[in-house]
Structure formats: C-alpha cells, structure tokens
Amino acid sequence: NFYKTNPTKEKLNNLSIEETHQNSAASGGSSRNSENAEPSVSTDNLPGTSQAPAQTVASTLSASLPQQQQNPTFRIRSRTAAINEHLASQSENFESLDYDVCENVLFQKEQERISSTRFSLRKDILRWIIFIQIGIITALIACAIDIVIEELSSLKYEFLKHSVDINVPHQDNPVGDLAIPYLYWLGLSMLPVALGAAMVTYIEPITAGSGIPQVKSYLNGVKVPRIVRIKTLAVKSIGVITSVVGGLAGGKEGPMIHAGAVVAAGISQGKSTTFVKDFRIFKAFRDDHEKRDFVLGGAAAGVAAAFGSPIGGMLFSLEEAASFWNQNLIWRTLVASIISSFTLNIVLSAYHGLGDFTFTGLFNLGKFEQPLTFEYYELPIFMIFGITGGLLGALWNMLNTKINKFRSRFIKFKFGKVMEAVLVALIGVSLACTMIYFINDCRPLGNDPTDYPTQLFCEDNEYNAVAALWFQTPEATVRSLFHDPPGSHKILSLTLFTLIYFLLSCFTFGLNVSLGVFIPTALVGAAWGRLVAMVAYYVFPTAAFLNPGKYALIGAAANLGGVLRMTISLTVILMETTGIETSFFFPLIITLISAKWVGDYFNEGIYDIQVKVNHVPMLPWEPLPHYMGLKASNIMSSPVVCIKLRDKSKYIYDILNRYKHNGFPVVDDVEGNDRSKGRVCGIILRSQLIVILLKSLYEEKKRFWINETSIQTFRDVYPRYPSIDNVRMHDDKVNYTVNLDIFMNPSPVCSREHDSVQKIFNKFRALGLRHLIVVDKENRVSGIITRKDFLYK
Ligand code: ATP
C-alpha cells in the first residue's frame, strides 16, 4: 500500500550508505507529520488489501483494531484514512506534468542568448503556425474518419434493407425468413465491434471510451500514460470507426477531441519518439508547459471538427477541458478551431459535391427550415425539461458508474472485455429487431427521414418508421428527430426507442471500445423531448407551439446538460450545429442551466465521475471543504529525501533506485549526514538526475562537457526520459561528485508549516506545481507536498 509502506520512512531507515538519516526513527518517520496524525495501522497482513474495495479494507481494518481504539471518532478517522490510502495506491500509476518551468542556469543562459525581439517574434510566429497546422491536420483526420464511417454504414444499411426486402413474407414469397437479415445484422455489428474492442483491449487500452476525461486530466497536470502517442491516435481512429459502423450506442465526437489532442502534442514537438525521427524544429516548445497549450488547442480543434462549431470548440476547451487559461490562449485556440472547421467544411463539401461550403461538421444536425420561435409561457416548460434532463442525467450517470464498477470488478480478463462489447452489440441488434418486428408503425413514403426506407410489413408506398429509427447511424437519427415532420412516429415506438437507447447507451459507455457519449445522450434527449411534445399535442391538439422538432432539440439539450453538466459551450455547439437564431439562445441556456443545477445536486458530470473512478489525481478548481482548519504540516510528507548541492554520484544513484519520487529538494548547510533537515537551495527532478548520470556530467569531468551541455541536452530526451535502469554505475564512477548548481531549479515554491492548506492549494493549483517544499523559519526542509497529498490525506 502506497502510504502505509511510506517509502520515505521505511527506506530511509534502511539506507545502508554512510549518509543514512539519523532522525527518521526519532521523528516517527510518519508521512503525516502532525499532531492530528492518524494512527499507523498496518494493512499488510490483510488478505487482498491491494485489490479489495476501499470499504472492505476499511471495515476489515476497524474489526482488527484493539479495544481502546474502537471509539466512534477513532473508527471514522481510521476508515477515512484507509479509504484514502486505498485511493492513493490506486493513483500510483499517475505522475504529474511539469507545468512550472524550471528556470535553472542552463535555461537562463539560453534566455540571455536569445533575448531579442526578433527571437520572441519568431517564437510567436512559430506558435501560430503550429496552431494552424493542428487545425488542418485534426480536420483531415476527422474527414477521413467520417468518410470511412459514412461509406461503410451506407453499405451496411443498404445491404440490410435489401435483405429485409427480399426476405419479408409477401405475395411472391409467402413464407419469407426474417431470421436471415437478423443474422446478417448481427454479423455486421458484432464483427466490427469485436475488431475494435480487440484492438483497444490488446493494443492500446488507453483508447477506450471517449478520451475526454483523459485529455482533461492531462490538461490538469496529470501524466496519463500513453495518452498522446501516435499509436493511440491510430487505434482510437480505427476503434471509433468500428464502433460506429458496428452500431454501438456512441458517437465519434469524443474520440475526435482526443485525436486533436494527440495531433497537437505530436506536431508541436517537431519529432516523433515512436518513429525515432527528429525534424529538428520547434525545439523551444519541448516542455510540458508549452505542450499543454497546444494540446488545449488540439482539443478545441477536435470539437470544432466534430461539431462544425469553432466558437463552441473554444468554449468547450474553456469550460470543460482547460485547467489553465490566459488571454493569448483564447485567440490561439479560436484560430485552431476556425481553421479546423473550415478545412473540414471544404473537404467534406467537396467530397459530397456541394458547390457552397455548407458541410460544417461531423455531427451534422441539419438546419431548421423555419426559424425556431418560442412564447414567453414556454419558458417554464423549458425549465421543466431542464429539470427532467437533470434528473435523467443524474440517473444515467449513477447507473453507468455502477455498471462500470461492476465491470472493473468482475470482467478482468482481456478476452472477457472483448466478449462483453460483442454481447452488448448482440443485445442492441436483438432489441432493435424485436422492436421493428412487433411494432407496426407505417408512414407514407415521402416523409421518410432515412436513406433506406424499409417497407417490411407496411403497404406499398409506406415505410416502417421504427426501422427508420434503427437503420442509420445514431447521429442521423438525432437529425431525423429534430427535423421529421409532425406525425412521423407512433408514441409507442418512440417510448420504447427512448427506453432501449437509454439503457443501451448506459451499458455501452465504459465498454472497452472507442466511443463518445455525446451523440447517444443527445439522441435519448431528442427522443424523449419529441415524445413529450407528441403526447402533449395529443392531449392539447390546439397547442400549435408544440413543435416536435423544437422540443426534440430542447430535450437533447436537457439530457446533455444532465449527463455532461456543461452549459455555455453546449448551448453554442447546439446553436452552431443546427444553425438556429440567436434568439433561441435563451431557451437553450435556461434548459441547460436547470439540468446542470438539478444534476449537480445528485452527482457530478460523467467525465468527472470517470476521472474519479479511474483514481486520476486531478486537482479540483477550488480547495475542498475538508481543508478548512488544516495546515501544511497536516498533509506534508516527512522526512523528505533530499540531495546535497554537491553530492556523490553513488548516493544519487542509490536514491533513484530506492525511491520512486520524481522530485528532490536540493539542500546545503547539512548537519552531519542528515540531508532531510538541510537548507533549501533548489529542487531537482528525477528525470534531470538520470540525464546527469547517463551523460556523466560530473564535476571532476566538467571541462569535457561544460561547453556542449545546454538546456537542449535535457530537451532532447523529452518526453520519454530514460529510467534509472538505463544507468550503469561502474566502480570508477562512484566517487565522482555531481554539482547540481546549474541543473536544479533554484527557485522552488515553498511554504511554511503553519500555512493553511487552502492557501497552499491555491498556490499549487494556480502555478501548476508538481512539488511544494515546506520549510521552517530557517529555510530548512520540513516536508514536501505533491498533488496526491491534497487528495488523499
Ligand atoms: P508525481 O507523481 O506527482 O510526479 P512524485 O512522484 O515526486 O510526483 P508523488 O508520487 O505524488 O510524488 O508522491 C507520493 C508521496 O511521496 C506523497 O505523499 C509525497 O508527499 C511523497 N514525496 C514526494 N517526493 C518526496 C521526497 N523527495 N521525499 C519524501 N517524500 C516524498
């Protein structure tokens, strides 16, 4: 267990080399170095501690406590501590990004060398060029994905319609055999889904889901492993194609946002680590801080391409994705978004043979022919829709979370994960077929919203309206629900469709496939919105304002608000994708705000829930309420593993092998060998230390390397730094000295022990820190705080 076997305490005490900490035992060596410290309770001997859910760990712990510790306060605190320990251990795989620029001597030298207006202008121009490239390439990838999905789906549904037509019992073929199209449909759904799920499961599991929670975590400063790699992009793109073509209840918009982020992370670095190719450009942008801004631009470009909504893209980045923001970034993300949707527009318009540039986005909801209007007395109705959306969204989020927890507990084998996706595809097709078979909802041809109107048991010149709902991609169905003329569906068919799709989407989001949640959520909302309008019109046939298309749009907004909990960006995205007038902004925003407020009362938005379920140590916007009254000393880790300004290479090598920590305070004025109480003079990262050892940047050999070493030496190995296993410490090197003077960050952010956690959280969050050193009044190290300490202590 991560905190229990506090590496600092345990390993410092065992350190055999001469500089062993002398005070660690005396100080108790507790990671919770405070008067409020929890009693240390070992979980080591409890069976299944590492795998058991937090509650089980907590209850087993309470049961094993001695009599005097059985008082309620003690039990509650032990329980909380055990849960936090468990959560911390789950988040161990996540490291932080270095958003705080390390301004060491090498960096400053570079700054002095290039400190001219010409250089900063050049850097600025390059930045713009990169944002433009991100927009173009993201759009081209979106086009490729869209065209492949469209062509394959078109072939699939055309074939199925044909198969239904020839196998349905009719005069020439009185027996018929509808099992044949059913089996074809099963095959055409299960095969692509199996392929996509197998790719995601066996090749790149990080590509499962929409990708938005991962991008969000990255932008918050959490290094989600393999999130922005080319392989991830390839698997995600193929994965989303197979899932949509397979007919799963999901959409391509989330994966597009992820794709934009990968494109941005790749292009901005001017090299590909996967293909071991360095184009020797954009070197100045090779750090986490710069990359973060580009990734944000990529996410915005992805939204813009997915929805054809440039302003929505920028607002989405602001509202949902970004954790850090500044004025210049608004401009750049907006430009990336505009370029992206414009490129997509040109390419797809050309592909569809449109003379004017009218094909704006992948999520094409069609334009409302009549301007959408509303009466003042409809405003409460919109609010009621919002409240319903909030309730349904909260219910959906809760169910989906429970299903996903069940999954992660019981479906552990890879093959099982693939089979689960295939099973959901099978159930989806079977439910759709049952519905089509048993509900005879015939409508006159001409009203048909689908490219492949299926006659089935209907009269000539009629089509089956239920088949029309299912025989197209979910996105096309949303479009139908928005724009089909009144009277296009039966109340029964729409009710069943809503129910089935609600449950299907709930089971689908969380499968090991690449899919977004936006389209199924909009589809469920559009279906119940339209349904409510139809029922209301049935009851009040004179109520002319009950336009089913308008209420389908309001329903979609309400449901999206209830599940995703976004407001401004969703409003703008819906307006841009449907081309409605700005006057309709008001109904949309009050629907979305009502949905968000009601939903927030019960749980968080689905992306935030996913972040939590995956134990990503993401810092919230505001300090958590339980920080009230806590001080730095309550959450810091102590004793701290420190390194002397001039230290032996062997000591550094041993430290790196013994601890997983990524940052070490650099100290001088050390009493005896107890570095952990030294005076702070900087901080150094594990990655920097490894480069120093690998390149033998020793004091004694300074004359050999000093001229060639620059900040570029470290950038060259960014972002995949070598591990300590790559370093060989031969006997002749053990006594060399490493002088960290020019490598360390000489101005680490520090706090005092009595500073409130709220205050240091704000500092940590605003500056995007990775480590914060706690010092005493003599500037000596007292403790260290990382993001996990804010979340799990
Ligand atoms: P990150 O994982 O955020 O990149 P990190 O690996 O240095 O940073 P964490 O994994 O967040 O650190 O820290 C795990 C625990 O170890 C935290 O409680 C933290 O306070 C503690 N810790 C981090 N660095 C040190 C250190 N140099 N000495 C002692 N304890 C440390």
Side-chain angles (χ1 to χ4, degrees), residues 146 149 189 215 297 304 326 331 345 380 384 400 405 410 425 481 489-490 528 615 650 661 720 746:
D146 192 57
I149 289 182
S189 296
V215 173
N326 65 50
W331 279 108
N345 192 343
I384 294 171
N400 183 260
K405 281 188 179 159
F410 293 107
L481 291 170
H489 308 94
K490 259 189 186 168
W528 68 252
H615 308 288
K650 174 79 169 85
H661 303 313
R720 291 194 212 172

PDB file of all heavy atoms in Angstrom, residues 146 149 189 215 297 304 326 331 345 380 384 400 405 410 425 481 489-490 528 615 650 661 720 746:
ATOM      1  N   ASP A 146     -14.766  10.302 -40.848  1.00  0.00           N
ATOM      2  CA  ASP A 146     -16.167  10.489 -41.214  1.00  0.00           C
ATOM      3  C   ASP A 146     -16.506   9.802 -42.533  1.00  0.00           C
ATOM      4  O   ASP A 146     -17.526   9.131 -42.655  1.00  0.00           O
ATOM      5  CB  ASP A 146     -16.464  11.986 -41.311  1.00  0.00           C
ATOM      6  CG  ASP A 146     -17.949  12.222 -41.407  1.00  0.00           C
ATOM      7  OD1 ASP A 146     -18.660  11.769 -40.497  1.00  0.00           O
ATOM      8  OD2 ASP A 146     -18.405  12.808 -42.405  1.00  0.00           O
ATOM      9  N   ILE A 149     -16.621   6.046 -42.067  1.00  0.00           N
ATOM     10  CA  ILE A 149     -17.836   5.643 -41.334  1.00  0.00           C
ATOM     11  C   ILE A 149     -19.049   5.742 -42.254  1.00  0.00           C
ATOM     12  O   ILE A 149     -19.877   4.837 -42.325  1.00  0.00           O
ATOM     13  CB  ILE A 149     -18.046   6.522 -40.088  1.00  0.00           C
ATOM     14  CG1 ILE A 149     -16.995   6.190 -39.034  1.00  0.00           C
ATOM     15  CG2 ILE A 149     -19.454   6.329 -39.507  1.00  0.00           C
ATOM     16  CD1 ILE A 149     -17.129   6.965 -37.744  1.00  0.00           C
ATOM     17  N   SER A 189     -22.684  -6.218 -37.132  1.00  0.00           N
ATOM     18  CA  SER A 189     -22.460  -5.405 -35.935  1.00  0.00           C
ATOM     19  C   SER A 189     -21.378  -6.022 -35.056  1.00  0.00           C
ATOM     20  O   SER A 189     -20.473  -5.337 -34.585  1.00  0.00           O
ATOM     21  CB  SER A 189     -23.748  -5.298 -35.107  1.00  0.00           C
ATOM     22  OG  SER A 189     -24.705  -4.616 -35.847  1.00  0.00           O
ATOM     23  N   VAL A 215      -7.987  13.603 -21.598  1.00  0.00           N
ATOM     24  CA  VAL A 215      -7.432  14.886 -22.056  1.00  0.00           C
ATOM     25  C   VAL A 215      -7.583  15.928 -20.942  1.00  0.00           C
ATOM     26  O   VAL A 215      -6.678  16.728 -20.667  1.00  0.00           O
ATOM     27  CB  VAL A 215      -8.134  15.357 -23.348  1.00  0.00           C
ATOM     28  CG1 VAL A 215      -7.698  16.750 -23.735  1.00  0.00           C
ATOM     29  CG2 VAL A 215      -7.852  14.386 -24.478  1.00  0.00           C
ATOM     30  N   GLY A 297      -5.313  23.519 -27.635  1.00  0.00           N
ATOM     31  CA  GLY A 297      -5.710  23.944 -28.990  1.00  0.00           C
ATOM     32  C   GLY A 297      -6.194  22.748 -29.798  1.00  0.00           C
ATOM     33  O   GLY A 297      -7.176  22.840 -30.540  1.00  0.00           O
ATOM     34  N   ALA A 304     -14.259  21.493 -32.726  1.00  0.00           N
ATOM     35  CA  ALA A 304     -14.711  22.272 -33.886  1.00  0.00           C
ATOM     36  C   ALA A 304     -14.957  21.365 -35.079  1.00  0.00           C
ATOM     37  O   ALA A 304     -15.936  21.519 -35.815  1.00  0.00           O
ATOM     38  CB  ALA A 304     -13.669  23.329 -34.222  1.00  0.00           C
ATOM     39  N   ASN A 326      -5.232  31.608 -20.401  1.00  0.00           N
ATOM     40  CA  ASN A 326      -4.877  33.022 -20.462  1.00  0.00           C
ATOM     41  C   ASN A 326      -5.394  33.623 -21.761  1.00  0.00           C
ATOM     42  O   ASN A 326      -5.863  32.915 -22.640  1.00  0.00           O
ATOM     43  CB  ASN A 326      -3.368  33.245 -20.283  1.00  0.00           C
ATOM     44  CG  ASN A 326      -2.575  32.653 -21.418  1.00  0.00           C
ATOM     45  OD1 ASN A 326      -2.874  32.895 -22.576  1.00  0.00           O
ATOM     46  ND2 ASN A 326      -1.576  31.848 -21.089  1.00  0.00           N
ATOM     47  N   TRP A 331      -7.191  33.307 -28.134  1.00  0.00           N
ATOM     48  CA  TRP A 331      -7.010  33.601 -29.561  1.00  0.00           C
ATOM     49  C   TRP A 331      -6.521  32.381 -30.314  1.00  0.00           C
ATOM     50  O   TRP A 331      -7.012  32.027 -31.371  1.00  0.00           O
ATOM     51  CB  TRP A 331      -5.983  34.726 -29.732  1.00  0.00           C
ATOM     52  CG  TRP A 331      -6.594  36.055 -29.510  1.00  0.00           C
ATOM     53  CD1 TRP A 331      -6.385  36.866 -28.434  1.00  0.00           C
ATOM     54  CD2 TRP A 331      -7.513  36.728 -30.359  1.00  0.00           C
ATOM     55  NE1 TRP A 331      -7.128  37.995 -28.560  1.00  0.00           N
ATOM     56  CE2 TRP A 331      -7.837  37.940 -29.742  1.00  0.00           C
ATOM     57  CE3 TRP A 331      -8.097  36.411 -31.583  1.00  0.00           C
ATOM     58  CZ2 TRP A 331      -8.716  38.853 -30.296  1.00  0.00           C
ATOM     59  CZ3 TRP A 331      -8.976  37.315 -32.146  1.00  0.00           C
ATOM     60  CH2 TRP A 331      -9.273  38.521 -31.500  1.00  0.00           C
ATOM     61  N   ASN A 345     -14.956  21.703 -43.547  1.00  0.00           N
ATOM     62  CA  ASN A 345     -16.027  22.200 -44.408  1.00  0.00           C
ATOM     63  C   ASN A 345     -15.647  22.053 -45.874  1.00  0.00           C
ATOM     64  O   ASN A 345     -16.404  21.500 -46.686  1.00  0.00           O
ATOM     65  CB  ASN A 345     -16.240  23.682 -44.044  1.00  0.00           C
ATOM     66  CG  ASN A 345     -17.492  24.237 -44.652  1.00  0.00           C
ATOM     67  OD1 ASN A 345     -18.042  23.653 -45.566  1.00  0.00           O
ATOM     68  ND2 ASN A 345     -17.940  25.360 -44.142  1.00  0.00           N
ATOM     69  N   PRO A 380     -41.283  28.346 -18.610  1.00  0.00           N
ATOM     70  CA  PRO A 380     -41.345  27.341 -17.535  1.00  0.00           C
ATOM     71  C   PRO A 380     -41.293  25.910 -18.077  1.00  0.00           C
ATOM     72  O   PRO A 380     -40.720  25.031 -17.441  1.00  0.00           O
ATOM     73  CB  PRO A 380     -42.695  27.613 -16.868  1.00  0.00           C
ATOM     74  CG  PRO A 380     -43.092  28.976 -17.298  1.00  0.00           C
ATOM     75  CD  PRO A 380     -42.430  29.250 -18.596  1.00  0.00           C
ATOM     76  N   ILE A 384     -38.801  22.979 -16.986  1.00  0.00           N
ATOM     77  CA  ILE A 384     -39.218  21.629 -16.556  1.00  0.00           C
ATOM     78  C   ILE A 384     -38.465  20.574 -17.379  1.00  0.00           C
ATOM     79  O   ILE A 384     -38.018  19.554 -16.860  1.00  0.00           O
ATOM     80  CB  ILE A 384     -40.748  21.462 -16.701  1.00  0.00           C
ATOM     81  CG1 ILE A 384     -41.434  22.406 -15.717  1.00  0.00           C
ATOM     82  CG2 ILE A 384     -41.180  20.022 -16.437  1.00  0.00           C
ATOM     83  CD1 ILE A 384     -42.927  22.528 -15.888  1.00  0.00           C
ATOM     84  N   ASN A 400     -24.558   4.218 -14.923  1.00  0.00           N
ATOM     85  CA  ASN A 400     -23.339   3.943 -15.687  1.00  0.00           C
ATOM     86  C   ASN A 400     -22.150   3.706 -14.761  1.00  0.00           C
ATOM     87  O   ASN A 400     -21.333   2.805 -14.986  1.00  0.00           O
ATOM     88  CB  ASN A 400     -23.073   5.121 -16.632  1.00  0.00           C
ATOM     89  CG  ASN A 400     -21.864   4.885 -17.502  1.00  0.00           C
ATOM     90  OD1 ASN A 400     -20.794   5.387 -17.215  1.00  0.00           O
ATOM     91  ND2 ASN A 400     -22.024   4.087 -18.540  1.00  0.00           N
ATOM     92  N   LYS A 405     -18.284   0.026 -12.325  1.00  0.00           N
ATOM     93  CA  LYS A 405     -17.623  -0.548 -11.147  1.00  0.00           C
ATOM     94  C   LYS A 405     -17.772  -2.067 -11.171  1.00  0.00           C
ATOM     95  O   LYS A 405     -16.837  -2.804 -10.858  1.00  0.00           O
ATOM     96  CB  LYS A 405     -18.237   0.022  -9.869  1.00  0.00           C
ATOM     97  CG  LYS A 405     -17.721   1.410  -9.558  1.00  0.00           C
ATOM     98  CD  LYS A 405     -18.179   1.891  -8.216  1.00  0.00           C
ATOM     99  CE  LYS A 405     -17.604   3.276  -7.952  1.00  0.00           C
ATOM    100  NZ  LYS A 405     -18.348   4.011  -6.960  1.00  0.00           N
ATOM    101  N   PHE A 410     -15.512  -7.481 -12.003  1.00  0.00           N
ATOM    102  CA  PHE A 410     -15.752  -8.859 -12.417  1.00  0.00           C
ATOM    103  C   PHE A 410     -15.253  -9.202 -13.816  1.00  0.00           C
ATOM    104  O   PHE A 410     -15.080 -10.359 -14.141  1.00  0.00           O
ATOM    105  CB  PHE A 410     -17.256  -9.180 -12.328  1.00  0.00           C
ATOM    106  CG  PHE A 410     -17.735  -9.175 -10.904  1.00  0.00           C
ATOM    107  CD1 PHE A 410     -18.516  -8.142 -10.425  1.00  0.00           C
ATOM    108  CD2 PHE A 410     -17.367 -10.181 -10.032  1.00  0.00           C
ATOM    109  CE1 PHE A 410     -18.926  -8.113  -9.108  1.00  0.00           C
ATOM    110  CE2 PHE A 410     -17.773 -10.179  -8.712  1.00  0.00           C
ATOM    111  CZ  PHE A 410     -18.557  -9.137  -8.244  1.00  0.00           C
ATOM    112  N   ALA A 425     -23.352  -5.463 -28.381  1.00  0.00           N
ATOM    113  CA  ALA A 425     -23.758  -5.267 -29.787  1.00  0.00           C
ATOM    114  C   ALA A 425     -24.882  -6.238 -30.130  1.00  0.00           C
ATOM    115  O   ALA A 425     -25.876  -5.871 -30.768  1.00  0.00           O
ATOM    116  CB  ALA A 425     -22.556  -5.484 -30.708  1.00  0.00           C
ATOM    117  N   LEU A 481     -34.971  13.127 -35.726  1.00  0.00           N
ATOM    118  CA  LEU A 481     -35.874  13.527 -34.640  1.00  0.00           C
ATOM    119  C   LEU A 481     -36.031  15.051 -34.576  1.00  0.00           C
ATOM    120  O   LEU A 481     -37.078  15.559 -34.193  1.00  0.00           O
ATOM    121  CB  LEU A 481     -35.347  13.000 -33.298  1.00  0.00           C
ATOM    122  CG  LEU A 481     -35.414  11.478 -33.141  1.00  0.00           C
ATOM    123  CD1 LEU A 481     -34.658  11.011 -31.921  1.00  0.00           C
ATOM    124  CD2 LEU A 481     -36.862  11.012 -33.069  1.00  0.00           C
ATOM    125  N   HIS A 489     -43.868   9.527 -36.142  1.00  0.00           N
ATOM    126  CA  HIS A 489     -43.695   8.328 -35.308  1.00  0.00           C
ATOM    127  C   HIS A 489     -44.924   8.095 -34.454  1.00  0.00           C
ATOM    128  O   HIS A 489     -45.663   9.019 -34.136  1.00  0.00           O
ATOM    129  CB  HIS A 489     -42.496   8.494 -34.352  1.00  0.00           C
ATOM    130  CG  HIS A 489     -41.249   8.906 -35.031  1.00  0.00           C
ATOM    131  ND1 HIS A 489     -40.868  10.212 -35.150  1.00  0.00           N
ATOM    132  CD2 HIS A 489     -40.294   8.172 -35.639  1.00  0.00           C
ATOM    133  CE1 HIS A 489     -39.731  10.279 -35.803  1.00  0.00           C
ATOM    134  NE2 HIS A 489     -39.357   9.049 -36.115  1.00  0.00           N
ATOM    135  N   LYS A 490     -45.051   6.827 -34.027  1.00  0.00           N
ATOM    136  CA  LYS A 490     -46.074   6.487 -33.042  1.00  0.00           C
ATOM    137  C   LYS A 490     -45.520   6.798 -31.662  1.00  0.00           C
ATOM    138  O   LYS A 490     -44.302   6.679 -31.441  1.00  0.00           O
ATOM    139  CB  LYS A 490     -46.326   4.974 -33.092  1.00  0.00           C
ATOM    140  CG  LYS A 490     -47.530   4.535 -33.837  1.00  0.00           C
ATOM    141  CD  LYS A 490     -47.700   3.037 -33.572  1.00  0.00           C
ATOM    142  CE  LYS A 490     -48.833   2.506 -34.427  1.00  0.00           C
ATOM    143  NZ  LYS A 490     -48.863   1.066 -34.430  1.00  0.00           N
ATOM    144  N   TRP A 528     -36.930  11.647 -26.095  1.00  0.00           N
ATOM    145  CA  TRP A 528     -37.965  11.929 -25.095  1.00  0.00           C
ATOM    146  C   TRP A 528     -38.529  13.330 -25.226  1.00  0.00           C
ATOM    147  O   TRP A 528     -39.700  13.585 -24.930  1.00  0.00           O
ATOM    148  CB  TRP A 528     -37.558  11.554 -23.664  1.00  0.00           C
ATOM    149  CG  TRP A 528     -36.469  12.324 -22.963  1.00  0.00           C
ATOM    150  CD1 TRP A 528     -35.210  11.880 -22.691  1.00  0.00           C
ATOM    151  CD2 TRP A 528     -36.552  13.636 -22.377  1.00  0.00           C
ATOM    152  NE1 TRP A 528     -34.487  12.821 -21.997  1.00  0.00           N
ATOM    153  CE2 TRP A 528     -35.293  13.913 -21.786  1.00  0.00           C
ATOM    154  CE3 TRP A 528     -37.538  14.611 -22.304  1.00  0.00           C
ATOM    155  CZ2 TRP A 528     -35.006  15.114 -21.138  1.00  0.00           C
ATOM    156  CZ3 TRP A 528     -37.241  15.805 -21.648  1.00  0.00           C
ATOM    157  CH2 TRP A 528     -36.000  16.046 -21.086  1.00  0.00           C
ATOM    158  N   HIS A 615      -9.328   6.901 -10.514  1.00  0.00           N
ATOM    159  CA  HIS A 615      -8.364   7.344  -9.493  1.00  0.00           C
ATOM    160  C   HIS A 615      -7.294   8.272 -10.055  1.00  0.00           C
ATOM    161  O   HIS A 615      -6.130   8.201  -9.666  1.00  0.00           O
ATOM    162  CB  HIS A 615      -7.695   6.139  -8.814  1.00  0.00           C
ATOM    163  CG  HIS A 615      -8.685   5.154  -8.300  1.00  0.00           C
ATOM    164  ND1 HIS A 615      -9.468   5.388  -7.203  1.00  0.00           N
ATOM    165  CD2 HIS A 615      -9.052   3.945  -8.759  1.00  0.00           C
ATOM    166  CE1 HIS A 615     -10.271   4.364  -7.004  1.00  0.00           C
ATOM    167  NE2 HIS A 615     -10.047   3.473  -7.932  1.00  0.00           N
ATOM    168  N   LYS A 650      27.172   8.119  -6.424  1.00  0.00           N
ATOM    169  CA  LYS A 650      26.666   6.841  -5.905  1.00  0.00           C
ATOM    170  C   LYS A 650      25.433   7.075  -5.040  1.00  0.00           C
ATOM    171  O   LYS A 650      24.471   6.299  -5.092  1.00  0.00           O
ATOM    172  CB  LYS A 650      27.794   6.187  -5.081  1.00  0.00           C
ATOM    173  CG  LYS A 650      27.388   4.924  -4.358  1.00  0.00           C
ATOM    174  CD  LYS A 650      27.355   3.735  -5.305  1.00  0.00           C
ATOM    175  CE  LYS A 650      27.224   2.421  -4.580  1.00  0.00           C
ATOM    176  NZ  LYS A 650      25.899   2.048  -4.267  1.00  0.00           N
ATOM    177  N   HIS A 661      10.103   8.669  -6.046  1.00  0.00           N
ATOM    178  CA  HIS A 661       9.771  10.095  -6.088  1.00  0.00           C
ATOM    179  C   HIS A 661      10.354  10.756  -7.344  1.00  0.00           C
ATOM    180  O   HIS A 661      11.427  10.392  -7.807  1.00  0.00           O
ATOM    181  CB  HIS A 661      10.336  10.822  -4.866  1.00  0.00           C
ATOM    182  CG  HIS A 661       9.858  10.236  -3.577  1.00  0.00           C
ATOM    183  ND1 HIS A 661       8.545   9.932  -3.351  1.00  0.00           N
ATOM    184  CD2 HIS A 661      10.525   9.905  -2.452  1.00  0.00           C
ATOM    185  CE1 HIS A 661       8.412   9.430  -2.132  1.00  0.00           C
ATOM    186  NE2 HIS A 661       9.603   9.392  -1.563  1.00  0.00           N
ATOM    187  N   ARG A 720      10.099  11.158 -23.328  1.00  0.00           N
ATOM    188  CA  ARG A 720      10.282   9.815 -22.753  1.00  0.00           C
ATOM    189  C   ARG A 720      11.657   9.719 -22.130  1.00  0.00           C
ATOM    190  O   ARG A 720      12.625   9.283 -22.782  1.00  0.00           O
ATOM    191  CB  ARG A 720      10.105   8.754 -23.838  1.00  0.00           C
ATOM    192  CG  ARG A 720       8.678   8.668 -24.312  1.00  0.00           C
ATOM    193  CD  ARG A 720       8.437   7.424 -25.115  1.00  0.00           C
ATOM    194  NE  ARG A 720       7.435   7.663 -26.136  1.00  0.00           N
ATOM    195  CZ  ARG A 720       7.126   6.810 -27.082  1.00  0.00           C
ATOM    196  NH1 ARG A 720       7.733   5.664 -27.159  1.00  0.00           N
ATOM    197  NH2 ARG A 720       6.191   7.102 -27.968  1.00  0.00           N
ATOM    198  N   PRO A 746      16.483  26.774  -9.129  1.00  0.00           N
ATOM    199  CA  PRO A 746      16.962  27.463  -7.912  1.00  0.00           C
ATOM    200  C   PRO A 746      15.846  28.196  -7.171  1.00  0.00           C
ATOM    201  O   PRO A 746      16.087  28.724  -6.089  1.00  0.00           O
ATOM    202  CB  PRO A 746      17.994  28.447  -8.460  1.00  0.00           C
ATOM    203  CG  PRO A 746      17.564  28.699  -9.858  1.00  0.00           C
ATOM    204  CD  PRO A 746      16.797  27.513 -10.347  1.00  0.00           C
TER     205      PRO A 746
END
